[in-house]
Amino acid sequence: MQYSIGQFSMMMDVGKKTLRYYDEIDLFKPEYVNEANQYRFYGETQISALKKIIKLREVGIPLEDIKRTKGSDDANEMSRLFLERLRDIDVTIQKLQAQKKLIQSYVDNASKEKDSKPDFEITEGFHITEGYVYYNENDISIEDIHQAINDFYHNLNGFKLLSGHIFKRNLQEEMPEISEIFAYVDAKEEDPSIRVQKKLKSVKLKCRAMAEKLNAYQQLFAYINKKGYSLSDVYEKYNMGDAGMQIDIIAAIE
């Protein structure tokens, strides 16, 4: 027996517009098309094929993936599609959970950020001191910073670090964000990775958390402008303390 598109739509609980679309993309075509009026008709044997498509669409499997299995009744192929979809769902859930935590933290901190703007103690001196440093000199983008840090510590060659790592930041528009990573070391022998760091007149403030960096930089730049100093280089020195990661932001001045 053949069914009109209206009857088949009613039986399968699928919209006529959807059936016409499936025909257009060559996913599920009618058994017969009347040449005179282009009316579509569907047969009994097509029910199982459409039920398979409905089942796959219900779990969010894309039409392109379904098209690749058209005409196949292989149970293993169906299982493969379901397992792939499960993996996609797990990845999506992880992303959504991370976004949920981030949104919650924004909501929790919104009032604090609005009502409070921490004041930082700014000191002048030679906060970049003279000494031997182990360094990696290359142009690093913010997006590559984690890999750059891993490479820095991986290639220490046994040197004993006397400080946390320090980033030298680029201010030039055409340059990547970081030009150098270095740390003070207990070493005096000559080595391609060791150089002498000269002391630099600078201003410094201590940033107690990454979330404070924006306000810290605003206050630091405002202080430099107010004093009429010329800003040359900016450094970020990372230190691990009892309260977690702290950052000394140091601006070399002239």
Side-chain angles (χ1 to χ4, degrees):
M1 181 174 177
Q2 285 187 333
Y3 303 95
S4 69
I5 190 171
Q7 293 172 322
F8 204 62
S9 169
M10 191 177 298
M11 288 169 49
M12 304 300 297
D13 200 22
V14 175
K16 289 180 282 185
K17 182 178 179 180
T18 298
L19 288 172
R20 286 193 291 267
Y21 179 65
Y22 287 172
D23 182 13
E24 290 170 8
I25 66 173
D26 199 28
L27 172 63
F28 183 76
K29 303 188 78 63
E31 185 178 74
Y32 167 73
V33 177
N34 187 313
E35 292 184 5
N37 54 25
Q38 298 299 305
Y39 285 177
R40 296 170 173 85
F41 293 89
Y42 298 85
E44 294 273 0
T45 58
Q46 294 185 285
I47 292 175
S48 60
L50 185 57
K51 286 173 67 176
K52 172 188 169 183
I53 293 171
I54 293 169
K55 187 184 296 184
L56 295 174
R57 288 298 293 145
E58 283 176 340
V59 298
I61 295 175
L63 291 176
E64 285 301 315
D65 290 342
I66 298 175
K67 280 182 69 174
R68 284 194 285 270
T69 68
K70 188 175 67 171
S72 173
D73 293 324
D74 187 357
N76 292 331
E77 182 66 18
M78 289 283 285
S79 295
R80 182 189 67 78
L81 285 174
F82 285 137
L83 289 173
E84 284 184 358
R85 181 58 183 156
L86 278 176
R87 285 192 289 269
D88 291 342
I89 290 172
D90 286 337
V91 170
T92 301
I93 289 173
Q94 290 173 7
K95 289 181 179 178
L96 290 174
Q97 287 175 336
Q99 291 173 5
K100 181 181 178 180
K101 289 181 180 178
L102 198 57
I103 291 170
Q104 191 61 57
S105 71
Y106 288 157
V107 171
D108 293 342
N109 294 323
S111 59
K112 298 178 185 177
E113 292 177 359
K114 181 179 179 181
D115 299 333
S116 65
K117 206 168 186 177
D119 288 323
F120 300 91
E121 180 184 0
I122 299 176
T123 59
E124 297 188 22
F126 292 91
H127 300 297
I128 296 294
T129 58
E130 185 171 312
Y132 289 93
V133 296
Y134 162 74
Y135 72 105
N136 288 169
E137 185 174 12
N138 44 25
D139 293 325
I140 304 162
S141 295
I142 289 296
E143 291 80 7
D144 302 323
I145 192 62
H146 295 297
Q147 184 59 51
I149 293 172
N150 289 337
D151 293 344
F152 178 81
Y153 284 100
H154 181 73
N155 299 320
L156 269 176
N157 298 323
F159 293 118
K160 181 182 177 181
L161 297 185
L162 302 178
S163 73
H165 62 271
I166 302 170
F167 294 135
K168 182 178 180 181
R169 303 297 302 261
N170 278 320
L171 295 173
Q172 294 81 6
E173 180 176 346
E174 71 278 3
M175 298 293 290
E177 290 76 21
I178 296 168
S179 62
E180 187 176 287
I181 306 176
F182 67 91
Y184 291 90
V185 292
D186 183 15
K188 293 181 175 60
E189 66 269 23
E190 292 186 5
D191 184 279
S193 298
I194 300 295
R195 65 168 171 78
V196 176
Q197 172 63 51
K198 296 180 180 179
K199 66 179 182 179
L200 299 172
K201 184 180 178 182
S202 51
V203 294
K204 181 186 81 169
L205 60 74
K206 186 175 292 293
C207 190
R208 294 173 294 274
M210 292 292 289
E212 294 182 352
K213 281 182 67 176
L214 171 59
N215 290 332
Y217 269 114
Q218 285 179 311
Q219 292 187 32
L220 183 68
F221 293 152
Y223 179 90
I224 291 171
N225 288 336
K226 182 179 178 180
K227 290 286 187 175
Y229 292 136
S230 176
L231 178 62
S232 56
D233 292 306
V234 177
Y235 301 84
E236 291 180 359
K237 183 179 180 181
Y238 287 75
N239 305 293
M240 182 60 72
D242 295 336
M245 182 70 74
Q246 296 184 344
I247 311 162
D248 290 342
I249 300 178
I250 303 167
I253 54 175
E254 298 174 353

